[in-house]
Amino acid sequence: MTSPENLPEQEDVWDRRVASGLSFLRRRLSGAYEVDEFGFDAELTEGVFHPMLRLLQRDWFRTEILGAKHIPVDSGALLVGNHSGTVAMDALMLSIACHDESEGNRHLRLLGADFVFKLPGLSELARKSGATLACTPDAERLLSSGELVGVFPEGFKGVGKPFRDRYKLQRFGRGGFVSAALRTGVPIIPVAIVGAEEIYPLIGNIKPLARVLGAPYFPVTPTFPWLGPLGLVPLPSKWLIEFGQPIPTEDLVDQADDPMVVFNLADQVRETIQEMIHGLLERRPDPFAQ
């Protein structure tokens, strides 16, 4: 039971929350807020998107973050992670992990596939939250300005792979992310994410329906589409996110156009992430443990 002497303090807290909320609405309605050249809205991200993601990360997925000390304090870096989970929830969880665990609460600028920016509504949300098209020029501009950039080189091959192939990294494409890091001289930080594979276990893919919808795949999971909207609720798997030791690139800037250098470095990053995943799986023997 709340004691009378604590009531004024609680009232003050709620007064501040209400005042802050009204101030936020006033700025949104009047247009008194800023977005950068890519459409990133930091105020909306921190005030609306992050609180919702934080609930998922901390309470539903019970996420543990490892190696956050490797995130640079105020300089650019390219974060490269494994991709999985049928729905790209891992990108969102990595984004909130970077913000909450890094010194200075840094924002992660995610690189998204063309498909994301072709969908009405989702495109605007992606831009507002800091994402941009996964192309080398945009990546280089962000890295050159000292931003943290996140990329998932497996793309839809990773996020849409069958559950039987969980935690097995797919091919990394042509290594464009390596070229961007080399040209800007920023470190590459390998990131391993364990937990996303279990939220929507992909047991099937209705390809004809995917073609009609223009989607890379149409997932069938143990709960979707059988349970309708309830099937969209992710299973509460235990998540681990680890930021690995940065891989320096400043000595390779003049070799950014050398295909062999790019391929070898991309392969090194891929092998590093795969080893990190194995370590995290040993740390988390039960995917639904507390």
Side-chain angles (χ1 to χ4, degrees):
M1 186 172 180
T2 304
S3 59
E5 58 268 22
N6 289 332
L7 287 176
E9 182 179 345
Q10 291 185 354
E11 290 174 356
D12 287 344
V13 170
W14 280 106
D15 286 344
R16 289 196 294 270
R17 289 178 179 175
V18 171
S20 177
L22 291 174
S23 178
F24 175 81
L25 287 175
R26 190 181 304 112
R27 290 193 299 274
R28 307 310 298 185
L29 292 173
S30 64
Y33 58 91
E34 297 182 358
V35 298
D36 70 7
E37 58 181 313
F38 294 93
F40 174 48
D41 188 333
E43 182 183 58
L44 185 65
T45 297
E46 294 180 1
V48 178
F49 300 153
H50 279 179
M52 293 187 292
L53 294 177
R54 206 168 279 126
L55 286 174
L56 267 178
Q57 186 200 59
R58 294 179 180 175
D59 299 333
W60 193 249
F61 296 137
R62 308 171 307 285
T63 308
E64 291 184 35
I65 312 296
L66 309 170
K69 63 182 180 181
H70 295 312
I71 303 173
V73 176
D74 55 10
S75 58
L78 183 68
L79 278 65
V80 182
N82 58 300
H83 216 14
S84 62
T86 306
V87 175
M89 193 76 72
D90 49 7
L92 301 178
M93 293 301 102
L94 178 58
S95 180
I96 190 66
C98 275
H99 181 271
D100 288 358
E101 300 296 328
S102 65
E103 186 175 342
N105 300 121
R106 303 201 61 188
H107 289 286
L108 181 65
R109 311 301 296 274
L110 294 166
L111 302 182
D114 295 2
F115 176 73
V116 173
F117 297 97
K118 291 178 180 178
L119 296 177
L122 181 58
S123 174
E124 281 79 20
L125 286 175
R127 290 283 184 188
K128 291 285 188 181
S129 63
T132 190
L133 195 62
C135 62
T136 303
D138 279 5
E140 290 181 8
R141 285 165 61 196
L142 287 166
L143 291 170
S144 296
S145 61
E147 298 284 356
L148 295 179
V149 175
V151 63
F152 297 90
E154 293 173 280
F156 289 120
K157 297 190 299 295
V159 75
K161 66 177 177 291
F163 186 65
R164 64 178 179 271
D165 294 330
R166 59 193 178 279
Y167 300 119
K168 297 177 183 177
L169 286 183
Q170 305 299 297
R171 189 172 58 86
F172 264 21
R174 293 173 293 182
F177 70 96
V178 170
S179 297
L182 293 181
R183 288 195 180 91
T184 53
V186 302
I188 297 174
I189 300 178
V191 180
I193 303 172
V194 161
E197 297 278 18
E198 292 87 14
I199 61 172
Y200 300 111
L202 188 67
I203 58 176
N205 175 18
I206 306 177
K207 294 182 179 180
L209 188 53
R211 284 195 292 270
V212 170
L213 297 174
Y217 53 86
F218 187 89
V220 177
T221 76
T223 59
F224 182 84
W226 328 112
L227 298 183
L230 282 177
L232 299 176
V233 177
L235 297 178
S237 57
K238 168 72 175 178
W239 283 49
L240 299 172
I241 299 177
E242 181 177 7
F243 298 89
Q245 187 76 33
I247 300 173
T249 67
E250 61 266 20
D251 294 336
L252 300 172
V253 172
D254 58 348
Q255 301 180 58
D257 296 318
D258 187 326
M260 286 306 299
V261 171
V262 171
F263 175 81
N264 289 335
L265 187 51
D267 197 49
Q268 177 187 348
V269 173
R270 184 179 180 278
E271 289 182 1
T272 300
I273 296 172
Q274 186 68 78
E275 290 177 4
M276 292 167 63
I277 289 173
H278 290 324
L280 292 181
L281 288 173
E282 291 180 3
R283 184 186 177 102
R284 189 213 65 165
D286 181 355
F288 295 100
Q290 291 297 318

